[in-house]
Amino acid sequence: MKIRKRMTWVSILISAALLFLLIRLAEIQLFFTESFSKRNVNLIQESVKQRTEEVQISDGRGSFLDRNGEHLSVSQKPAIVLFPFLKKQPWPIEEASDILNMSEAELNEKLEKAKKPVILTKNEEKTFSKTALEKINQLKYPGIYGVYIEETEKNRLASHTIGMTNQDPDLLRSKYPHKDGLSISTKIGTFGMERTFDEFLLPEQDTKLLYHVDGLGNPLFGMDVKYTADANPFYPLQIKTTIDKQVQQSLEDVLNEHKLQKGGAVLLDIENSSVLAIASKPDLNMASQKTRQNYMMTPMYPGSVFKTVIAAAAIENGLDHPSKTFNCNLNLYGEPGEDKGKLNLADSFAESCNYTFTNLAGQLVEKNSSIIEDTAQKLGLTERVGWEGKLYHQDHFRQFYHEVTGSIWGDERDKKIKKAVAQTAIGQKNVKLTPLEIANMMATIARGGEKKQVKVADQIEYKNGTMMTTFKDQKLSGEMIDSFTAQKLQKLLRKVVTSDKGTGRRFSDLPFDVAGKSGTAQTGRQSKDKKTLYHKWFAGYFPADKPKYALAVVHMDTPDGKAATNAAFYDIVKKVYEIEKNQT
């Protein structure tokens, strides 16, 4: 009796297990073939992949162009594709050998070892010519093809701003729950403009050469190699940026040459407040989260560059009389510690006298407690300066990824503390601004006070080059400094370079006349050998008489005397001059 019961239970369990397996098999093969599991895996698609050998020519994702239409995010490499089944039958190896300038033995060797399609990109360190690809295709023999393979640039220019893509199925499904055609292997923008513009860059269909194989790797259906491509002339889309590829390369080369390891530079076109070049250091390493920080959009201590704001407030409130002098033998707290003598506002700005600006800040705050932040706002320093507006269904589309706004005060009570006001006046305490904001401030002054949002993308184009939408120039909201104040600031910034004792006198022999302001900010940190670390700045615009470019360079966490800031600023201006000269 007991044995019969046990047999009954065993039968029930086996039946239940078989039923479960049957249901599971039905789910896999009948009911959820295109959306299996929580990740909605397309099982049909994935099973076909297992039986397919393919060469991807393009993943179908949209790309980024510079302002002249040159590719920034991808490169097109000429290549010859040889499929493994060629080794099992006669093929025109003699003709291919002559065209490719490779021996028959070399071609046979590559095929003999191949289990997957062989991709040849060069011969004797030379890339294949367009003519070679055309001649190979004229053979019209299945299994050998000349193609241009599109590859994502691994060491792309402006990498922190353009960003990168990666496979992230969870992010993909959370962002696009209704796009059922997307494979879980589809790459998605994870940061930078790749992330902000991701919706416009998603692939419609990739382009590839493929053939189906049996279990032994032999081709099914004979030697039928298929070419799959999206025939749509409009997709994928392309984002035309405002970046100039040649200028960008030169700027990055300069930073590397001067070993600027942390910080970076941003160069703006003043007329329309657009990014010509932008680079953040250290270089991007996809394996490290730390290197993904874009310091050009990260608030940091600006040091004496912030004296530009105090000078603007002093001018607007009539505290800039040329006959009024300040005792620059005193330090920022009004105590003995400097030896610059008595200077008026213009000379104090040129020589970066701390006492003058802490004295002025004290007078200004006493008169109006919000005057410093109000003036900073007029110069575009307390709000996001990147382009923001309506783009199709998005009411607040932002071109820049994770742009952070600057700040002036950390605590309202600091306005009543003399030392806190003094530290704020020279860009310390709680003053933190981004290099992008500071470059835009210089552009604002150069334009006579007109505030504009900064663009890094000019338009979105269809694949055939026609325009889908454009990003119009937009003004920053709020009050502006008047043209009279801007003119006075322009003179102060120019004197920094022309004065014999000016902190920017090094730039006086450049082919472009430069106007700008230096800055040295204490970070509160020390190096391993106990040296005090600083943020070293120079920000300005050029040519001074007819401004076209605004530039901010910062070397972060550097010991005094070791900064590459001035050398980098100098060489970037020189490179821009040379490029402009060659273009005319």
Side-chain angles (χ1 to χ4, degrees):
M1 192 72 177
K2 287 183 179 180
I3 294 174
R4 185 178 294 177
K5 282 186 177 180
R6 286 177 184 172
M7 291 295 292
T8 302
W9 279 109
V10 169
S11 300
I12 291 170
L13 288 173
I14 292 173
S15 299
L18 289 172
L19 181 63
F20 174 79
L21 289 173
L22 188 63
I23 293 171
R24 191 63 168 168
L25 192 61
E27 283 184 339
I28 293 172
Q29 294 198 342
L30 299 175
F31 303 124
F32 303 111
T33 55
E34 296 184 10
S35 58
F36 182 72
S37 82
K38 292 179 180 179
R39 291 189 172 182
N40 294 321
V41 178
N42 189 319
L43 294 174
I44 296 175
Q45 222 174 54
E46 298 304 316
S47 67
V48 169
K49 281 185 180 180
Q50 290 180 348
R51 294 182 285 105
T52 303
E53 291 291 352
E54 63 181 48
V55 176
Q56 189 175 78
I57 296 172
S58 168
D59 64 4
R61 184 175 174 83
S63 59
F64 292 90
L65 309 175
D66 86 335
R67 60 172 49 201
N68 300 310
E70 293 191 44
H71 282 285
L72 288 172
S73 56
V74 297
S75 61
Q76 292 186 321
K77 186 181 293 184
I80 303 298
V81 180
L82 305 173
F83 282 85
F85 59 74
L86 286 175
K87 61 189 174 187
K88 297 184 178 181
Q89 73 269 318
W91 64 285
I93 187 171
E94 187 177 344
E95 293 93 326
S97 173
D98 290 338
I99 294 169
L100 302 178
N101 194 26
M102 296 174 71
S103 69
E104 293 182 29
E106 191 177 356
L107 290 172
N108 275 325
E109 183 183 0
K110 291 185 180 296
L111 277 172
E112 196 62 39
K113 298 176 181 178
K115 293 182 179 179
K116 293 187 175 183
V118 176
I119 301 172
L120 305 175
T121 56
K122 57 186 176 182
N123 171 39
E124 297 179 354
E125 302 304 316
K126 291 182 180 179
T127 57
F128 295 118
S129 65
K130 181 181 178 181
T131 304
L133 267 61
E134 289 173 350
K135 287 182 177 179
I136 286 293
N137 289 332
Q138 284 169 7
L139 295 175
K140 295 183 179 179
Y141 192 87
I144 178 168
Y145 304 91
V147 297
Y148 284 92
I149 294 179
E150 192 173 273
E151 292 184 345
T152 299
E153 291 282 7
K154 292 180 180 178
N155 299 314
R156 60 176 60 175
L157 295 171
S159 57
H160 289 85
T161 301
I162 298 296
M164 286 289 177
T165 60
N166 213 336
Q167 287 185 9
D168 190 333
D170 292 332
L171 178 61
L172 186 73
R173 295 306 176 199
S174 66
K175 282 193 72 174
Y176 308 110
H178 304 300
K179 287 185 177 286
D180 298 328
L182 292 175
S183 164
I184 59 170
S185 61
T186 301
K187 288 186 176 180
I188 188 172
T190 49
F191 71 99
M193 294 173 72
E194 289 277 15
R195 179 74 175 263
T196 56
F197 285 90
D198 189 68
E199 186 176 350
F200 299 92
L201 299 171
L202 283 175
E204 295 289 320
Q205 182 182 333
D206 56 6
T207 301
K208 54 190 159 190
L209 294 168
L210 58 85
Y211 72 102
H212 301 294
V213 297
D214 60 20
L216 298 175
N218 297 317
L220 293 171
F221 318 118
M223 294 185 296
D224 184 21
V225 176
K226 294 181 179 179
Y227 174 81
T228 67
D230 189 347
N232 192 321
F234 299 107
Y235 294 92
L237 298 174
Q238 300 174 126
I239 311 301
K240 191 170 187 179
T241 71
T242 63
I243 292 170
D244 185 301
K245 190 173 184 177
Q246 187 179 4
V247 176
Q248 178 71 38
Q249 183 67 68
S250 295
L251 183 143
E252 293 192 23
D253 288 344
V254 167
L255 297 183
N256 290 332
E257 286 165 12
H258 292 291
K259 296 181 170 65
L260 197 156
Q261 295 178 340
K262 187 178 181 181
V266 54
L267 178 70
L268 302 182
D269 179 321
I270 287 175
E271 183 180 357
N272 52 24
S273 202
S274 61
V275 175
L276 273 172
I278 185 169
S280 177
K281 292 288 184 177
D283 290 332
L284 182 65
N285 179 350
M286 284 300 291
S288 171
Q289 288 285 346
K290 292 181 180 178
T291 64
R292 296 190 188 186
Q293 180 71 48
N294 188 345
Y295 286 114
M296 297 304 95
M297 282 174 272
T298 301
M300 63 187 79
Y301 299 120
S304 292
V305 175
F306 192 70
K307 290 173 183 174
T308 308
V309 175
I310 306 302
I315 292 167
E316 290 193 329
N317 287 272
L319 300 178
D320 64 325
H321 199 281
S323 64
K324 180 172 177 55
T325 58
F326 301 85
N327 185 359
C328 290
N329 290 324
L330 304 178
N331 65 16
L332 71 159
Y333 302 124
E335 302 163 348
E338 301 286 344
D339 59 354
K340 295 179 180 178
K342 290 195 173 184
L343 303 174
N344 63 14
L345 177 60
D347 290 328
S348 294
F349 192 81
E351 297 181 36
S352 207
C353 166
N354 286 336
Y355 177 71
T356 299
F357 293 91
T358 60
N359 181 289
L360 287 170
Q363 294 181 58
L364 290 164
V365 171
E366 193 172 320
K367 182 178 179 180
N368 178 352
S369 63
S370 65
I371 198 165
I372 293 179
E373 62 263 41
D374 288 347
T375 307
Q377 191 272 336
K378 289 180 181 180
L379 291 166
L381 295 177
T382 56
E383 57 189 314
R384 284 189 299 269
V385 298
W387 195 97
E388 182 176 340
K390 186 174 177 59
L391 181 63
Y392 295 104
H393 63 274
Q394 298 185 53
D395 291 329
H396 300 285
F397 177 84
R398 297 173 189 163
Q399 291 189 355
F400 291 99
Y401 178 67
H402 277 190
E403 181 192 357
V404 184
T405 59
S407 61
I408 309 300
W409 300 99
D411 191 327
E412 285 290 314
R413 291 173 293 184
D414 285 345
K415 296 177 181 180
K416 296 179 181 179
I417 301 172
K418 189 175 181 180
K419 283 192 173 183
V421 172
Q423 291 167 2
T424 300
I426 62 168
Q428 296 276 181
K429 189 60 178 174
N430 291 300
V431 180
K432 288 189 176 182
L433 305 172
T434 71
L436 184 67
E437 287 175 323
I438 287 175
N440 196 46
M441 175 183 73
M442 291 298 172
T444 297
I445 294 168
R447 281 193 297 264
E450 184 184 15
K451 293 192 301 181
K452 288 185 178 182
Q453 292 182 354
V454 180
K455 291 194 301 183
V456 70
D458 190 49
Q459 60 189 40
I460 302 176
E461 295 180 348
Y462 292 111
K463 184 171 71 173
N464 61 10
T466 58
M467 187 182 69
M468 178 184 183
T469 189
T470 187
F471 298 96
K472 295 180 180 178
D473 292 358
Q474 293 186 159
K475 292 183 179 181
L476 283 170
S477 60
E479 293 184 60
M480 304 184 298
I481 57 171
D482 59 37
S483 58
F484 178 73
T485 300
Q487 287 172 18
K488 286 200 167 186
L489 287 173
Q490 290 168 6
K491 290 179 180 178
L492 292 180
L493 292 165
R494 179 62 180 145
K495 192 165 186 177
V496 170
V497 178
T498 59
S499 172
D500 291 340
K501 296 182 180 180
T503 56
R505 59 189 178 276
R506 173 175 183 175
F507 309 121
S508 60
D509 64 344
L510 278 166
F512 279 137
D513 289 336
V514 172
K517 184 73 187 78
S518 61
T520 300
Q522 294 185 2
T523 64
R525 294 187 289 274
Q526 289 186 326
S527 62
K528 291 180 180 178
D529 55 358
K530 303 299 181 185
K531 290 183 179 179
T532 302
L533 298 177
Y534 301 89
H535 294 337
K536 291 280 191 175
W537 293 79
F538 198 88
Y541 60 87
F542 55 95
D545 56 339
K546 292 181 179 178
K548 293 176 69 175
Y549 310 100
L551 173 63
V553 179
V554 58
H555 191 167
M556 299 170 65
D557 295 333
T558 178
D560 197 23
K562 298 287 186 179
T565 309
N566 285 358
F569 190 100
Y570 187 99
D571 284 351
I572 291 170
V573 174
K574 199 172 178 182
K575 289 283 187 183
V576 171
Y577 174 80
E578 290 168 359
I579 291 169
E580 187 178 290
K581 187 178 179 182
N582 290 333
Q583 289 175 344
T584 55

